[in-house]
Amino acid sequence: MHGIPSLIQDLALILVTAGVVTLLFKKLRQPLVLGYIMAGFIVSPNLELTMSVIDNANIKVWADIGVMFLLFALGLDFSFKKILKMGIAPAIAALTIIFSMMTIGVTIGKIFDWSSMNGLFLAGMLAMSSTTIIYKAFDDLGLRQQQFSSLVMSVLILEDVLAIVMMVVLTTIAKGGSGDSAQMLSSLLSIVFFLVLWFVVGLFFVPLFLRKMRSIINDEVLLIVSLALCCGMAVCASWAGFSPAFGSFVMGSILAETIEAKKIEKLIEPVKNLFGAIFFVSVGMLVDIQVVMSQWLPVLVITFAIIFGQTVLGTLGFMLSGQTLKTAMRCSFSMAQIGEFAFIIATLGLSLGVVSDFLYPVVVTVSVITTFLTPYMIRGAVPIYNTIERHLPKVWIRRINKLSDIAPQNYDRSGNNWKPLLTQMAVNVLIYSVLTIAVTLMMLTVGEEFLASLMPVNISNPLCALLTIILVAPFLRAMVMKKNRSEEFKALWTGSRHNRAPLVFTIIARGVLAIMYIFYICNHLLHYSDAIMICIAIAAVSAIVYSRSMKNSSIRLERLFIQNLRSKEIAARVAGKRRPLFEGRLLDRNIHISEVDVPADSLWAGRTLAELNLAKRFGVHVSSIQRGSQHIHIPSGGDMIFPGDRLHVIGTDEQLSSLNAVLQSEQASADLDIERHEMKLRRFAITGGSMLLGKSLVTSGLRDKYNCMLVGMEEGHDNLSAVSPTYIFEVGDILWIVGDDVDIQRLAEVV
C-alpha cells in the first residue's frame, strides 16, 4: 500500500470492519452502537490476531469530531420550550435518578479505594441512560406509541441536558484539581452566563440570517452553513474555557428553534452517522480484554448497581413525580443501562488525564452487558409488577399508588399574580444583565484598546464610555420598564393598595441595578469623583427610560427576538402540523393521542377509513391525518389513506400497540427477483400466426392481459407513429412494445 497515507488506511480498515460487524448486528436485531464498539475492539492493538489501526492519534481527532456532531444533532432535537412544557414531573424523576445513581457511583469508587476523580467521573457515567438504545428498544418492541414511553423520553432529554452541564462542571473540577463549593458555583454561574448569552444572541442573529438567505440556500449550502455554525460555536466554546462539544450542543439548540431545523437534522444525519461511528469504534479500541478480566469484580458490581439503582430508586423517582407503581416500574426498568454519554464522559476524563486507564474498558463492558439486557428488562417490568401485586396486600398497593396524588401538580394560579410577575421580571433581569455585561466587557477590552490607538486617552475614554452606554441602553430600558404595564402588574396595582409599595419597589430595584451598570462603566473609564459619576449614571438611566426613540428601539429588538423564537411554531401552525390542543385534556388517564406513520409499502394505502374500520378492529379513533403540508381534521369514513400519511390516533396503550403491530405487518412483501422485472423495449413484427392479427389495440389485451404498452408503429427506419385504439393490426406491421421483462417474454410466445 505504498503511497497511501496511514489515515486513509486506518479509515478503510475501520469502515470495512464496522460495515461487516454492523450488518451482523443488524441481522441479530442488536443496537448498532454495540456493533461499532465490537468493530473497534477487533481493529485495536489490544487484539493481536487481526489487523490494527496504525495511527491512533488521527482516529482520536476524528472521534472528537464525532462527539461534536453527535451533540450538535442532539441539540437539533432539543428545545428549551419543549423542556418548559414538560412540567415538573419529568424534572423530579430525572433529578432523583441522577442524584441516586451519582451517589451509587461515588460509593462504588470509595469501596474499591479508587481516586476521587475516578469515583466522580464514574458517578457521571452511571447517571446517564442511553437515549439511542431505549428508543431502538421501544421501536423494536412496538412500545413507542404507549404513554409511559413519552415520559421516559422526556426524562432522557432532561438527562442529556444535565449531562452537558455535568461535562462542563467535571472539566472545571478536573482542571482546578478540587471540587469545593465555591469553584462549582463559579462553574455553574459561568455556564448560565454563556448559555444565556449565546442562546439570546444566536437566536437573534441566526434565524435572521437564514431568513435573509432562504431564497438562495439549497440543501448543499444549508449543510455547509450548518456545519460552519457548529464548528464556529465549538471554537467559541473552547475560547471561553468549555469543551467544543458544549458549543456544538448550544448551536444545535439554537438552530432547533428555526424553521430549517428539520431539514438541517435530515441533512446532518449522514455526517453524524459517519463520525459518530468512528467515535464508537474508537471507544471499542480502548477495550483491553486483559484489563476487563482483571477487573471482573468491578464490572459485576457496577452492572448490579445500575440494575438495582435504576429499577428500585428509579421507580421511586417516577413515583415521586406522580406516576402509579406500574407506570413507574415500566419507566425505570426501561432505563437500566448506560450509553453514549458514559463514553463521552469517560473520553473527557482520559483526555484531561484524571481518569485511570482501567476505568474505560470496565465502563464499556458494563454498557455492553446492560444494553443486551435492556429488551428483557423492558419486557419483564409488567410480569414483575404483577407478581408484586399478587403477593403484596392490596391496601399496600393502594397506599403506594396514592403517592401519585401528593406529587406536585400544576394548580390554577390565576388568583395569585405575584409569582408569575416576579418570575418574568427575574428572567428579564437575568437576560438583559447578561447582554449588558457582555457588551460592556467587549467595549472595555477591544473597544477601549481600539479607540486608544486612534486618539489620546483623555478623548478615547469618554468616547468609549458614551458608546458603551448607547449600546447597552436598549437592554437597560427593557430591564427597568418591561412588565410594568403587564396584566399581572395592573391587576395587582388595582386589586389592593397594599400591593403598590412592593410594585414600586420592583421598579426602583431594577432602576438601581441599571444605575450600577452605568456607574461601573464610568468608574472604569472616567476619573471623576464617585458623586459625579453617580449623578451621571442617574441622569443616563433617566434619559434612557424617558427616551421615545430608545423605547421604540427596545420594543423593535424584542419583537424581532420573539418572532425568531416563535418562527418554527408559526410555520407549524401555517402548515397545520401543530398537535391538537385537546391532547392533554383527555379525561381517561389511559387514553392519549399518538402519531402513527403509514409505511410506503402498506397494504392500507388506497383504502378508506370506512374500509379499514379501525374503530371496530382496534377501538381507536383517527382525529386527523397529516399529509405533507395538508392537515385533514376529523376525517370522514370516505377519506383515503396514502403512503407516508401520519395518523393522529386516540386510544389506550394496548389499542395503539395492536394497531401499530398490524400496520407494520400488513405490508407488501419485498420483490426478491427484482432483476427479472427490468423494463424493456422490444420490436415485434405481425406474422400470419400472430394472436394480434385482425385485432385492434382495444381488443388485443396488450395492457389488460400482458401488462404491456404499445409505444408506436414503425414507419421506415427512423419514425414511430401513434396507433389509433381502433386500428386493426395487419401482417407486416412492426410494433414497438415496452413492458416488464417477464411480461415481454410471455407476449413474445404468442406474437
Side-chain angles (χ1 to χ4, degrees), residues 41 62 121-122 320 356 368 450 460 477 484 503 512 514 571 600:
F41 175 69
W62 285 55
F121 273 81
L122 176 64
L320 291 176
S356 302
V368 172
F450 175 73
S460 65
R477 189 194 184 282
N484 292 347
L503 289 172
V512 170

Side-chain angles (χ1 to χ4, degrees), residues 75 152 184 235 404 520 643 658:
V152 172
M184 292 194 64
V235 173
S404 61
Y520 176 82
S658 177

Side-chain angles (χ1 to χ4, degrees), residues 19-62:
V20 174
V21 175
T22 51
L23 282 174
L24 176 62
F25 273 63
K26 190 72 173 176
K27 183 72 174 177
L28 298 175
R29 301 179 63 84
Q30 296 298 325
L32 295 185
V33 173
L34 294 181
Y36 295 139
I37 294 174
M38 181 61 69
F41 175 69
I42 292 174
V43 300
S44 70
N46 298 320
L47 191 64
E48 300 178 354
L49 300 177
T50 59
M51 295 179 61
S52 301
V53 167
I54 300 173
D55 192 344
N56 288 335
N58 284 332
I59 302 304
K60 184 182 182 302
V61 173
W62 285 55

